[in-house]
Amino acid sequence: MFGTHYKLERYSIGLAVAIIVAASIGGLVEIAPLFTIHETVERAPHMRVYTPLELAGRNIYIREGCYACHSQMIRTLSDEVERYGPYSLAVESQYDHPMLWGSKRTGPDLARVGEKYSDLWQSEHLNNPRSVVPQSIMPAYGFLKRTELRTTDLPKDLAALKRLGVPYTDAMVRNASDDAKGQADPDGAWADGVRARYGDATHVRAFDGDAGTVTEMDALVAYLQVLGHLTDVAHASEAGAGK
Amino acid sequence: MTSPSHETLTLFAQSWGLFYLIVLSLGVLVYTFWPKNRARFDRAKNSIMNDENGPWA
Amino acid sequence: MVSTMTANERQAALVISILAAIVGLAMAAAGRHDPLGVHGAMVLLTGLMCAFWVIRDYYKPEPPATRLAAYYDEPIKAGILLALLWAAIGMFFGDWVAWLLAYPEMTFDAAWSSFGRMRPIHTTGVIFGFGGNALIATSFHVMQRTSRARLADQFTPWFVLVGYNLFCAMAVSGYLMGVTQSKEYAEPEWYADIWLVVVWIAYFALYLRTLARRREPHIYVANWYYLAFILVVAMLHIVNNLALPVSWAGAKSYSLFSGVQDAMVQWWYGHNAVAFFLTAGFLGMLYYYLPKRAGRPIYSYRMSIVGFWGITFFYVWVGSHHLHYTALPQWVQTLGMTFSVMLLIPSWIAAANALLTLNGAWHKVRDDATLRFMMVAAVFYGLSTFEGSFLAIRPVNSLSHYTDWTVAHVHAGTLGWNSMIIFGAIYYLVPQLWKRAHMYSPALVEFHFWSAIAGTFIYVFAMWNSGITQGLMWRAYNPNGTLAYSFLDTVIAMHPYYIARAFGGLLFLIGTLAGIYNVWRTIQAAPARTPQSDQPILAVAQQAGS
């Protein structure tokens, strides 16, 4: 009695183990080497991290499911390079937790959309896409401009990303809330701190056209405007492709 | 211990992956066509046609 | 539900319900400034409701020992009804967002109603709500019948069902509030993911404990597929969802992986969700219900075994075909492509096995819509696996990727294969489990079949056309070497196809609603006088009295 039971369970557990082994191999073979990939891909020593405002914008991009219709991955195909710019490199999304490469282009790729349009165009387009592109099928995001951005949690967000290996300094983490406000208020008290911590090339502007309150529109436009501009390594490698 | 280099890992992955594929395929085929298993498979195949009479015991 | 449990099981149910309520209360308190708080309230409410149910029937007489001579079918019935409820929700939202692409102004200027937030309600609703509940319910049925054993206890099946549906409810309500990890088909946040692991372990343990009650050492092959579904989905789910929560008081977390590693992990998960959620488990369904309904054993048991190991081994390699021409290393793309093509062998072994089983029973296929659902499922399985291997070839993928061709492929699989086999299984199970002679209206089953087929064809053809059109337009050059079309030109060209697709989806949804009505009326009807019993008479009498 006891013996047969042992035998029966040995069968089913053996089957379970065999399934796990058979199903693990492919994943291990394909994924494990990728964790040493930094040895082989181009480096981007001057790549900067997202500012708190851009990170907040990125989280809005995630929250609204923008990735369902917009990719951020330009493939190595000539028409894509022509349409969107240099093809995407692995290093460009090294700080993206999670990546937003996307899988569908109901709308165009956004990997290099930064600075392609003005802040005013971006915020009008988000507010009502059909006001600037009459045939657009994108949803209108009118509430972004009406919603004040919650900046209180940003230090925790940066701290979490720092623990995951994104090179935020302690000062960046500590000042995250103020930096978010400062980046959207160029004449305000906190604007200089943003430039000091994230570099002079950082966009410090009233992204939604109103320097008063920091809105979700400020954050999302700040994020869109930095896409493709954290590092210029893709442009550099295109220029130096012959070397 | 230093972690293995990318080259070592990819080389290992690319060669042993094929090895596992062959070994696993052979193993499955042997199990499936092993003559002794024939009766068991036939029994299993027909067993579901008549399973409405409640559990054993 | 509770009256069929023993005193010990009622105790366990009460303790776990109260524990859940306490955890829910803690979540609600900690996350009161965050969507986490809403989910805490949902957990609290679920815990309290379950505790209330248990207390209400706590002192009812225990079920007699004779219960052990019968299969335990109550959770299967509940699972089927939940699957149908999710089918209605998931397909409704799917069709809604399909119309949004044709008429983008239908969002009422609200945050929750945009395409981006509602689309995952559709995917989660149909894959996990409809597909998942159907898998759980049918697995409860198949594991008992093929093992000739009753479910190992009367509490765990309910824990799995309630827990799983709580996960689904947290997922879809979260999307409306903007809670998402943005990982496709793995959107729910960390706390829901952890909860699913708990539910899944209970599910796996229940499966093994039920199998352990069998007498025949060999396990019928349908169970292998279900086991692969449970085990590999657990593995995929845990690895892909590794994330660091920003705080214990909020829903937001950051994925442990970034960039190219994250992309590979995501599509290793994403494609294997197709493999082990939408294929392995559903082949388990096919290998049991198709022979049963056709009244003929499976054509070749050996083919089912070879196919099983082929699918289990090959599928895991193919996720990287979602990343052709991207920043993923080329050798990984090539491996993904190669295995995707090889995958056609085990896939077609399974499809052929199903169709060869029907050889000699084609008159039944003609007359019986239920069997026809299953036959069509096998055909679509063969077609969409062929298309899948084809799309994984790098140059083909350069055209199809990012377009609606992928959407056409996915829906050929999910509408034509997954939904059809589920509806076939449900039309087989409902009269049997509720002891009715037949469905309330066989004509309505026919109607469902034809509207589902028509809807699938319209949908898939529309998306084939739009996908290939858009892919070709993107890469079209003028004679002088400039791109021929702006992106907007290609969006405008999609409009008629989007309307056709939404109409096809509507037909499919109408068929589903007809099916739900039919099931409902079947349950309402008087039991057949001579039940097609799959239980001893004694158990039937006892059940009627309870």
Side-chain angles (χ1 to χ4, degrees):
Chain A
M1 168 73 200
F2 206 73
T4 53
H5 247 252
Y6 175 71
K7 197 175 156 207
L8 285 178
E9 281 171 34
R10 207 178 51 189
Y11 263 97
S12 45
I13 289 170
L15 179 62
V17 171
I19 289 170
I20 290 178
V21 170
S24 308
I25 296 170
L28 284 175
V29 165
E30 292 187 350
I31 296 172
L34 293 181
F35 286 90
T36 55
I37 197 174
H38 56 272
E39 295 170 18
T40 61
V41 299
E42 12 0 69
R43 283 157 206 251
H46 301 297
M47 181 165 172
R48 80 159 168 85
V49 291
Y50 294 110
T51 64
L53 188 67
E54 290 155 9
L55 181 70
R58 191 172 196 272
N59 288 341
I60 293 168
Y61 184 99
I62 289 172
R63 183 187 77 191
E64 300 305 328
C66 305
Y67 59 87
C69 294
H70 293 283
S71 59
Q72 289 186 24
M73 172 48 62
I74 302 166
R75 295 181 293 170
T76 54
L77 300 169
S78 65
D79 60 296
E80 298 210 352
V81 173
E82 199 140 337
R83 193 182 296 278
Y84 303 115
Y87 57 80
S88 301
L89 302 177
V91 71
E92 290 181 277
S93 48
Q94 63 173 335
Y95 300 141
D96 286 5
H97 295 265
M99 59 88 208
L100 294 171
W101 291 9
S103 61
K104 178 74 176 62
R105 282 183 190 150
T106 306
D109 188 276
L110 299 180
R112 306 206 186 285
V113 80
E115 300 295 62
K116 203 171 169 180
Y117 303 91
S118 68
D119 293 344
L120 180 65
W121 187 93
Q122 286 288 8
S123 94
E124 275 305 307
H125 182 252
L126 285 164
N127 200 44
N128 177 14
R130 279 155 293 285
S131 69
V132 281
V133 184
Q135 299 97 333
S136 167
I137 58 168
M138 190 170 114
Y141 291 94
F143 61 91
L144 292 176
K145 215 164 183 165
R146 302 193 294 263
T147 313
E148 196 176 335
L149 182 70
R150 208 169 106 178
T151 54
T152 43
D153 290 339
L154 281 168
K156 284 188 201 154
D157 285 86
L158 265 68
L161 286 168
K162 188 168 187 278
R163 283 187 62 187
L164 294 177
V166 180
Y168 283 112
T169 63
D170 289 334
M172 286 172 172
V173 172
R174 218 169 32 243
N175 293 294
S177 301
D178 292 346
D179 284 349
K181 290 176 216 145
Q183 198 183 349
D185 184 9
D187 303 318
W190 294 304
D192 288 336
V194 181
R195 290 199 191 89
R197 277 181 281 279
Y198 294 90
D200 286 331
T202 309
H203 311 133
V204 180
R205 303 193 293 248
F207 294 96
D208 66 351
D210 169 22
T213 34
V214 186
T215 62
E216 296 198 332
M217 183 68 87
D218 278 311
L220 187 53
V221 174
Y223 171 63
L224 291 174
Q225 294 291 35
V226 83
L227 281 175
H229 289 272
L230 293 176
T231 167
D232 58 0
V233 67
H235 296 268
S237 77
E238 191 184 49
K243 78 175 175 196
Chain B
M1 197 186 93
T2 56
S3 64
S5 77
H6 184 69
E7 207 175 326
T8 326
L9 269 178
T10 47
L11 208 73
F12 180 80
Q14 288 166 24
S15 49
W16 285 87
L18 188 67
F19 172 75
Y20 280 125
L21 170 68
I22 293 167
V23 168
L24 205 105
S25 311
L26 285 179
V28 168
L29 288 175
V30 166
Y31 170 74
T32 313
F33 290 96
W34 199 256
K36 256 185 88 178
N37 284 340
R38 189 190 192 106
R40 165 184 295 184
F41 292 161
D42 277 341
R43 205 162 56 237
K45 171 177 165 171
N46 291 303
S47 69
I48 64 159
M49 301 319 294
N50 185 20
D51 59 6
E52 305 298 327
N53 301 322
W56 318 111
Chain C
M1 176 171 168
V2 177
S3 56
T4 57
M5 294 182 194
T6 63
N8 283 341
E9 288 164 348
R10 288 174 198 177
Q11 244 168 38
L14 188 60
V15 169
I16 289 179
S17 303
I18 292 171
L19 271 179
I22 293 170
V23 171
L25 188 65
M27 281 167 68
R32 61 195 176 280
H33 301 303
D34 192 271
L36 178 70
V38 179
H39 283 161
M42 275 171 66
V43 176
L44 173 63
L45 206 67
T46 311
L48 290 178
M49 261 164 54
C50 290
F52 170 76
W53 277 332
V54 178
I55 291 168
R56 199 189 51 184
D57 290 349
Y58 197 82
Y59 290 109
K60 281 205 174 165
E62 279 193 76
T66 49
R67 73 176 188 281
L68 296 174
Y71 295 126
Y72 188 44
D73 287 343
E74 277 74 12
I76 308 174
K77 295 181 184 175
I80 288 174
L81 296 179
L82 284 164
L84 287 172
L85 175 68
W86 280 108
I89 296 171
M91 291 177 196
F92 170 80
F93 275 96
D95 203 43
W96 182 260
V97 295
W99 288 109
L100 271 184
L101 288 180
Y103 302 101
E105 294 292 356
M106 301 197 303
T107 54
F108 332 113
D109 194 30
W112 59 268
S113 59
S114 71
F115 182 92
R117 290 199 190 185
M118 292 209 293
R119 183 231 184 206
I121 299 184
H122 165 57
T123 54
T124 300
V126 291
I127 300 174
F128 298 109
F130 175 43
N133 276 301
L135 283 169
I136 292 173
T138 56
S139 74
F140 287 168
H141 185 253
V142 170
M143 73 169 95
Q144 294 190 81
R145 298 309 191 275
T146 56
S147 303
R148 305 283 200 291
R150 186 181 161 91
L151 282 170
D153 68 274
Q154 282 86 222
F155 167 63
T156 319
W158 294 108
F159 175 76
V160 172
L161 267 182
V162 173
Y164 183 74
N165 283 281
L166 177 62
F167 165 79
C168 293
M170 280 201 280
V172 298
S173 59
Y175 308 149
L176 288 176
M177 298 184 288
V179 177
T180 171
Q181 291 191 108
S182 84
K183 294 196 156 212
E184 282 188 78
Y185 317 114
E187 289 90 350
E189 274 290 357
W190 57 276
Y191 49 92
D193 291 336
I194 293 173
W195 173 239
L196 185 62
V197 173
V198 174
V199 171
W200 221 244
I201 290 170
Y203 183 24
F204 179 60
L206 175 66
Y207 213 123
L208 285 193
R209 284 163 58 221
T210 306
L211 286 182
R213 295 160 78 107
R214 77 193 188 281
R215 286 205 183 147
E216 164 75 23
H218 183 78
I219 302 170
Y220 183 72
V221 73
N223 294 296
W224 303 20
Y225 285 92
Y226 280 114
L227 277 174
F229 146 64
I230 298 171
L231 281 168
V232 185
V233 165
M235 184 169 93
L236 300 163
H237 172 78
I238 291 171
V239 175
N240 186 45
N241 285 303
L242 289 174
L244 184 64
V246 172
S247 83
W248 298 115
K252 178 73 186 166
S253 71
Y254 289 101
S255 166
L256 215 57
F257 310 111
S258 72
V260 65
Q261 290 99 336
D262 190 42
M264 185 62 230
V265 171
Q266 155 64 31
W267 287 111
W268 167 77
Y269 167 87
H271 202 84
N272 286 304
V274 177
F276 291 91
F277 210 97
L278 296 178
T279 304
F282 283 85
L283 284 174
M285 238 183 254
L286 182 80
Y287 277 124
Y288 182 79
Y289 293 104
L290 181 100
K292 287 295 278 190
R293 188 68 182 191
R296 305 160 61 83
I298 194 76
Y299 171 73
S300 164
Y301 198 77
R302 283 171 169 168
M303 270 164 80
S304 67
I305 292 175
V306 174
F308 173 80
W309 290 110
I311 283 173
T312 306
F313 185 71
F314 286 175
Y315 243 121
V316 193
W317 299 72
V318 309
S320 53
H321 72 225
H322 288 257
L323 302 167
H324 281 327
Y325 300 99
T326 67
L328 186 77
Q330 179 121 0
W331 67 269
V332 186
Q333 300 178 21
T334 309
L335 265 182
M337 173 172 81
T338 315
F339 273 87
S340 302
V341 174
M342 291 200 291
L343 187 58
L344 191 58
I345 301 167
S347 302
W348 274 25
I349 287 179
N353 207 358
L355 293 176
L356 287 169
T357 303
L358 293 173
N359 228 353
W362 290 107
H363 60 286
K364 289 189 189 168
V365 177
R366 186 192 61 208
D367 298 336
D368 177 11
T370 303
L371 188 57
R372 216 180 309 128
F373 266 110
M374 300 181 191
M375 185 277 287
V376 165
V379 171
F380 267 99
Y381 177 66
L383 290 177
S384 49
T385 48
F386 174 76
E387 190 185 27
S389 297
F390 183 63
L391 291 178
I393 299 169
R394 202 186 273 119
V396 181
N397 194 266
S398 76
L399 177 71
S400 72
H401 192 52
Y402 292 135
T403 75
D404 286 324
W405 195 348
T406 314
V407 182
H409 168 57
V410 169
H411 283 83
T414 48
L415 299 177
W417 152 233
N418 299 122
S419 300
M420 300 284 183
I421 189 72
I422 293 179
F423 287 128
I426 286 180
Y427 285 132
Y428 167 79
L429 279 172
V430 166
Q432 196 204 66
L433 293 177
W434 272 276
K435 319 253 177 285
R436 307 290 184 265
H438 49 74
M439 289 298 294
Y440 161 72
S441 163
L444 218 47
V445 181
E446 280 291 342
F447 170 79
H448 180 186
F449 175 80
W450 289 110
S451 88
I453 282 282
T456 306
F457 272 108
I458 293 172
Y459 190 111
V460 172
F461 274 97
M463 290 291 93
W464 271 341
N465 274 298
S466 72
I468 294 171
T469 305
Q470 195 170 32
L472 290 174
M473 285 175 85
W474 285 344
R475 55 162 62 170
Y477 280 91
N478 286 319
N480 63 2
T482 54
L483 290 172
Y485 300 101
S486 72
F487 193 92
L488 191 63
D489 292 334
T490 73
V491 174
I492 296 166
M494 298 300 102
H495 187 70
Y497 302 121
Y498 284 159
I499 293 177
R501 179 257 292 272
F503 177 69
L506 185 63
L507 281 185
F508 201 92
L509 173 64
I510 290 171
T512 301
L513 295 177
I516 292 172
Y517 174 75
N518 204 357
V519 167
W520 187 245
R521 291 300 299 260
T522 309
I523 298 171
Q524 296 293 304
R529 277 184 60 88
T530 46
Q532 284 185 322
S533 175
D534 63 335
Q535 290 179 331
I537 304 302
L538 190 65
V540 177
Q542 172 225 331
Q543 197 178 53
S546 69

